[in-house]
Coordinates of all heavy atoms in Angstrom, one line a residue:
G48 N 5.1 32.9 -5.1 CA 5.2 34.1 -4.3 C 4.4 33.9 -2.9 O 4.3 34.9 -2.2
V49 N 3.9 32.7 -2.6 CA 3.3 32.5 -1.3 C 4.3 32.6 -0.2 O 5.4 32.1 -0.3 CB 2.6 31.2 -1.3 CG1 1.9 30.9 0.1 CG2 1.5 31.0 -2.4
D50 N 3.9 33.3 0.9 CA 4.7 33.4 2.1 C 4.7 32.1 2.8 O 4.0 32.0 3.9 CB 4.2 34.6 2.9 CG 5.1 34.8 4.1 OD1 6.3 34.3 4.1 OD2 4.7 35.5 5.1
A51 N 5.3 31.1 2.3 CA 5.2 29.7 2.9 C 6.5 29.3 3.6 O 7.6 29.7 3.2 CB 5.0 28.7 1.7
H52 N 6.2 28.6 4.7 CA 7.3 28.2 5.6 C 7.2 26.8 6.0 O 6.0 26.3 6.3 CB 7.3 29.1 6.9 CG 7.4 30.6 6.7 ND1 8.5 31.3 6.7 CD2 6.4 31.4 6.3 CE1 8.2 32.6 6.4 NE2 7.0 32.7 6.2
G53 N 8.2 26.0 6.0 CA 8.2 24.6 6.5 C 8.0 24.6 8.0 O 8.6 25.4 8.7
F54 N 7.2 23.6 8.5 CA 7.0 23.5 9.9 C 6.8 22.0 10.2 O 6.0 21.3 9.7 CB 5.7 24.2 10.3 CG 5.4 24.4 11.8 CD1 5.7 25.6 12.4 CD2 5.0 23.3 12.5 CE1 5.4 25.8 13.7 CE2 4.8 23.5 13.9 CZ 5.0 24.7 14.5
D55 N 7.8 21.5 11.1 CA 7.8 20.1 11.5 C 7.2 19.9 12.9 O 7.9 20.3 13.9 CB 9.2 19.5 11.4 CG 9.2 18.0 11.6 OD1 8.2 17.4 12.1 OD2 10.3 17.4 11.3
P56 N 6.0 19.4 13.1 CA 5.4 19.3 14.4 C 6.2 18.4 15.3 O 6.0 18.4 16.6 CB 4.0 18.7 14.1 CG 3.7 19.0 12.7 CD 5.1 19.0 12.0
A57 N 7.1 17.6 14.8 CA 8.0 16.7 15.6 C 9.1 17.6 16.3 O 9.7 17.1 17.3 CB 8.6 15.6 14.8
E58 N 9.3 18.8 15.8 CA 10.4 19.6 16.3 C 9.9 20.9 16.9 O 10.7 21.5 17.7 CB 11.3 19.9 15.1 CG 12.0 18.7 14.5 CD 12.9 19.0 13.3 OE1 12.9 20.2 12.9 OE2 13.5 18.1 12.8
R59 N 8.7 21.3 16.7 CA 8.1 22.5 17.2 C 6.7 22.3 17.7 O 5.9 21.6 17.2 CB 8.1 23.6 16.1 CG 9.5 23.9 15.5 CD 9.4 24.9 14.4 NE 9.1 26.2 15.0 CZ 8.7 27.3 14.3 NH1 8.6 27.2 13.0 NH2 8.4 28.4 15.0
P60 N 6.3 23.0 18.8 CA 5.0 22.9 19.3 C 4.0 23.6 18.4 O 4.3 24.7 17.8 CB 5.0 23.7 20.7 CG 6.2 24.6 20.5 CD 7.2 23.9 19.6
L61 N 2.8 23.1 18.2 CA 1.8 23.6 17.3 C 1.4 25.0 17.8 O 0.9 25.8 16.9 CB 0.6 22.7 17.3 CG 0.8 21.4 16.5 CD1 -0.5 20.5 16.7 CD2 1.1 21.6 15.1
Q62 N 1.5 25.3 19.0 CA 1.1 26.7 19.5 C 1.9 27.8 18.8 O 1.4 28.9 18.6 CB 1.3 26.8 21.0 CG 1.0 28.1 21.6 CD -0.5 28.5 21.4 OE1 -1.4 27.7 21.5 NE2 -0.8 29.8 21.1
A63 N 3.1 27.4 18.3 CA 3.9 28.4 17.6 C 3.2 28.8 16.3 O 3.5 30.0 15.8 CB 5.3 27.7 17.2
L64 N 2.3 28.0 15.7 CA 1.6 28.5 14.5 C 0.8 29.7 14.8 O 0.7 30.6 14.0 CB 0.7 27.3 14.0 CG 1.4 26.1 13.5 CD1 0.4 25.0 13.3 CD2 2.1 26.4 12.2
K65 N 0.1 29.7 16.0 CA -0.7 30.8 16.4 C 0.2 32.0 16.9 O 0.0 33.2 16.5 CB -1.6 30.4 17.6 CG -2.6 31.4 17.9 CD -3.7 31.5 16.9 CE -4.9 32.3 17.3 NZ -5.9 32.4 16.2
D66 N 1.2 31.7 17.6 CA 2.1 32.7 18.1 C 2.8 33.5 17.0 O 3.1 34.7 17.1 CB 3.2 32.1 19.1 CG 2.5 31.5 20.3 OD1 1.4 31.9 20.6 OD2 3.2 30.7 21.0
E67 N 3.1 32.8 15.9 CA 3.9 33.4 14.8 C 3.0 33.9 13.7 O 3.5 34.3 12.6 CB 4.9 32.4 14.3 CG 6.0 32.0 15.3 CD 6.9 30.9 14.9 OE1 7.0 30.7 13.6 OE2 7.5 30.3 15.7
G68 N 1.7 33.9 13.9 CA 0.8 34.6 13.0 C 0.5 33.9 11.7 O 0.3 34.5 10.7
F69 N 0.5 32.5 11.7 CA 0.2 31.8 10.4 C -1.3 31.9 10.2 O -2.1 31.8 11.1 CB 0.7 30.4 10.5 CG 2.1 30.2 10.4 CD1 3.0 30.0 11.5 CD2 2.7 30.1 9.1 CE1 4.3 29.9 11.3 CE2 4.1 30.0 8.9 CZ 4.9 29.8 10.0
D70 N -1.6 32.1 8.9 CA -3.0 32.3 8.5 C -3.7 31.0 8.0 O -4.9 30.9 8.1 CB -3.1 33.3 7.3 CG -2.6 34.7 7.8 OD1 -3.2 35.3 8.6 OD2 -1.6 35.2 7.2
R71 N -2.9 30.1 7.5 CA -3.4 28.8 7.1 C -2.3 27.8 7.0 O -1.2 28.1 7.0 CB -4.2 28.9 5.8 CG -3.3 29.4 4.6 CD -4.2 29.5 3.3 NE -5.2 30.6 3.4 CZ -6.4 30.6 2.8 NH1 -6.7 29.6 2.0 NH2 -7.2 31.6 3.0
A72 N -2.7 26.5 6.9 CA -1.8 25.4 6.9 C -2.0 24.5 5.8 O -3.2 24.1 5.5 CB -1.8 24.7 8.3
F73 N -1.0 24.1 5.1 CA -1.0 23.0 4.2 C -0.5 21.7 4.9 O 0.6 21.6 5.2 CB -0.2 23.3 2.9 CG -0.4 22.4 1.8 CD1 -0.9 22.8 0.6 CD2 -0.1 21.0 1.9 CE1 -1.1 22.0 -0.5 CE2 -0.3 20.2 0.8 CZ -0.8 20.6 -0.4
I74 N -1.4 20.7 5.0 CA -1.0 19.5 5.7 C -0.4 18.5 4.7 O -1.1 18.0 3.8 CB -2.2 18.9 6.4 CG1 -2.8 19.8 7.4 CG2 -1.9 17.5 7.0 CD1 -4.1 19.3 8.1
A75 N 0.9 18.3 4.9 CA 1.6 17.4 4.1 C 2.2 16.3 5.0 O 3.2 15.6 4.7 CB 2.8 18.0 3.3
L76 N 1.5 16.1 6.1 CA 1.8 15.0 7.0 C 1.0 13.7 6.6 O -0.1 13.8 6.2 CB 1.5 15.4 8.4 CG 2.4 16.4 9.1 CD1 1.6 17.1 10.2 CD2 3.6 15.8 9.6
H77 N 1.6 12.6 6.8 CA 0.9 11.3 6.5 C 0.9 10.4 7.7 O 1.9 10.4 8.5 CB 1.7 10.6 5.3 CG 1.9 11.5 4.1 ND1 1.0 12.3 3.6 CD2 3.1 11.7 3.4 CE1 1.5 12.9 2.5 NE2 2.8 12.6 2.4
G78 N -0.1 9.6 7.8 CA -0.2 8.7 8.9 C -0.6 9.3 10.2 O -1.2 10.4 10.3
R79 N -0.3 8.6 11.3 CA -0.8 9.0 12.6 C -0.2 10.4 13.0 O 0.9 10.7 12.8 CB -0.3 8.0 13.7 CG -0.9 6.6 13.4 CD -0.6 5.6 14.5 NE -0.7 4.2 14.1 CZ -0.9 3.2 14.9 NH1 -1.1 3.5 16.2 NH2 -1.0 2.0 14.4
G80 N -1.1 11.1 13.7 CA -0.7 12.4 14.2 C -0.8 13.5 13.2 O -0.6 14.7 13.5
G81 N -1.0 13.1 11.9 CA -1.1 14.2 10.9 C -2.3 14.0 10.0 O -2.9 14.9 9.4
E82 N -2.8 12.7 9.8 CA -3.8 12.4 8.9 C -5.0 11.8 9.6 O -6.1 11.5 9.0 CB -3.3 11.3 7.9 CG -4.1 11.1 6.7 CD -3.4 10.2 5.6 OE1 -2.2 9.9 5.8 OE2 -4.1 9.9 4.6
D83 N -5.0 11.6 10.9 CA -6.0 10.9 11.7 C -6.9 11.7 12.5 O -7.7 11.2 13.3 CB -5.3 9.9 12.6 CG -4.4 10.5 13.6 OD1 -4.3 11.8 13.6 OD2 -3.7 9.8 14.4
G84 N -7.0 13.0 12.3 CA -7.9 13.9 12.9 C -7.3 14.6 14.2 O -7.9 15.6 14.6
T85 N -6.2 14.1 14.7 CA -5.6 14.8 15.9 C -5.0 16.2 15.5 O -5.3 17.1 16.2 CB -4.5 13.9 16.5 OG1 -3.5 13.6 15.5 CG2 -5.1 12.6 17.1
L86 N -4.3 16.2 14.4 CA -3.8 17.5 14.0 C -4.9 18.5 13.6 O -4.9 19.7 13.9 CB -2.8 17.3 12.8 CG -2.3 18.6 12.2 CD1 -1.4 19.4 13.2 CD2 -1.5 18.3 10.9
Q87 N -5.9 17.9 12.9 CA -7.0 18.7 12.4 C -7.7 19.3 13.6 O -8.1 20.5 13.6 CB -8.0 17.9 11.6 CG -7.4 17.5 10.2 CD -6.4 16.4 10.2 OE1 -6.1 15.7 11.3 NE2 -5.8 16.1 9.1
G88 N -7.9 18.5 14.7 CA -8.5 19.0 15.9 C -7.7 20.1 16.6 O -8.3 21.1 17.0
A89 N -6.4 20.0 16.6 CA -5.5 21.1 17.1 C -5.6 22.3 16.3 O -5.7 23.5 16.9 CB -4.1 20.6 17.2
L90 N -5.7 22.2 15.0 CA -5.8 23.4 14.2 C -7.2 24.1 14.3 O -7.3 25.3 14.3 CB -5.5 23.0 12.7 CG -4.1 22.6 12.4 CD1 -4.0 22.1 11.0 CD2 -3.1 23.8 12.6
E91 N -8.2 23.2 14.5 CA -9.5 23.8 14.8 C -9.5 24.6 16.1 O -10.0 25.7 16.2 CB -10.6 22.7 15.0 CG -10.9 21.9 13.8 CD -11.9 22.7 12.8 OE1 -12.5 23.6 13.3 OE2 -11.9 22.3 11.6
W92 N -8.8 24.1 17.1 CA -8.7 24.8 18.4 C -7.9 26.1 18.2 O -8.3 27.1 18.8 CB -8.0 23.9 19.4 CG -7.9 24.5 20.8 CD1 -6.8 25.1 21.3 CD2 -8.9 24.5 21.8 NE1 -7.1 25.5 22.6 CE2 -8.3 25.1 22.9 CE3 -10.2 24.0 21.8 CZ2 -9.1 25.3 24.1 CZ3 -10.9 24.1 23.0 CH2 -10.4 24.8 24.1
L93 N -6.9 26.1 17.4 CA -6.1 27.3 17.2 C -6.7 28.3 16.2 O -6.3 29.4 16.1 CB -4.7 26.9 16.6 CG -3.8 26.1 17.5 CD1 -2.6 25.6 16.8 CD2 -3.3 27.0 18.7
G94 N -7.8 27.8 15.5 CA -8.5 28.7 14.6 C -7.7 28.9 13.3 O -7.9 30.0 12.6
I95 N -6.9 27.9 12.9 CA -6.1 28.1 11.7 C -6.6 27.2 10.6 O -6.5 25.9 10.7 CB -4.6 27.7 11.9 CG1 -4.0 28.7 13.0 CG2 -3.8 27.8 10.6 CD1 -2.6 28.4 13.4
P96 N -7.2 27.7 9.5 CA -7.7 26.9 8.4 C -6.6 26.0 7.8 O -5.5 26.4 7.7 CB -8.2 27.9 7.4 CG -8.4 29.2 8.2 CD -7.4 29.2 9.2
Y97 N -7.1 24.8 7.4 CA -6.1 23.8 6.9 C -6.7 23.0 5.7 O -7.9 23.0 5.5 CB -5.8 22.7 8.1 CG -7.0 22.1 8.7 CD1 -7.6 20.9 8.2 CD2 -7.7 22.7 9.7 CE1 -8.7 20.4 8.7 CE2 -8.8 22.2 10.3 CZ -9.4 21.0 9.8 OH -10.5 20.5 10.3
T98 N -5.8 22.4 5.0 CA -6.2 21.7 3.8 C -6.7 20.3 4.1 O -6.4 19.8 5.2 CB -5.0 21.5 2.8 OG1 -3.9 20.9 3.6 CG2 -4.5 22.8 2.3
G99 N -7.6 19.8 3.3 CA -8.0 18.4 3.4 C -9.2 18.3 4.3 O -9.9 19.3 4.7
S100 N -9.6 17.1 4.7 CA -10.8 16.7 5.4 C -10.7 17.2 6.8 O -9.6 17.5 7.4 CB -11.0 15.2 5.4 OG -11.3 14.8 4.1
G101 N -11.9 17.3 7.5 CA -12.0 17.7 8.8 C -11.7 16.6 9.8 O -11.2 15.6 9.5
V102 N -12.0 16.9 11.1 CA -11.6 16.0 12.2 C -12.2 14.6 12.0 O -11.5 13.6 12.1 CB -12.0 16.6 13.5 CG1 -11.7 15.7 14.7 CG2 -11.3 18.0 13.7
T103 N -13.6 14.6 11.9 CA -14.2 13.3 11.9 C -13.9 12.5 10.7 O -13.5 11.3 10.8 CB -15.8 13.5 11.9 OG1 -16.1 14.2 13.1 CG2 -16.5 12.1 11.9

Side-chain angles (χ1 to χ4, degrees):
V49 176
D50 183 19
H52 306 261
F54 191 104
D55 188 344
E58 299 177 353
R59 304 180 66 193
L61 290 175
Q62 180 61 39
L64 293 170
K65 192 72 172 178
D66 296 341
E67 296 175 19
F69 283 97
D70 297 297
R71 62 183 65 207
F73 191 115
I74 298 177
L76 289 156
H77 311 311
R79 300 187 198 203
E82 195 173 351
D83 60 1
T85 55
L86 174 66
Q87 289 75 10
L90 293 171
E91 291 283 340
W92 184 261
L93 294 171
I95 298 174
Y97 53 91
T98 56
S100 292
V102 177
T103 302

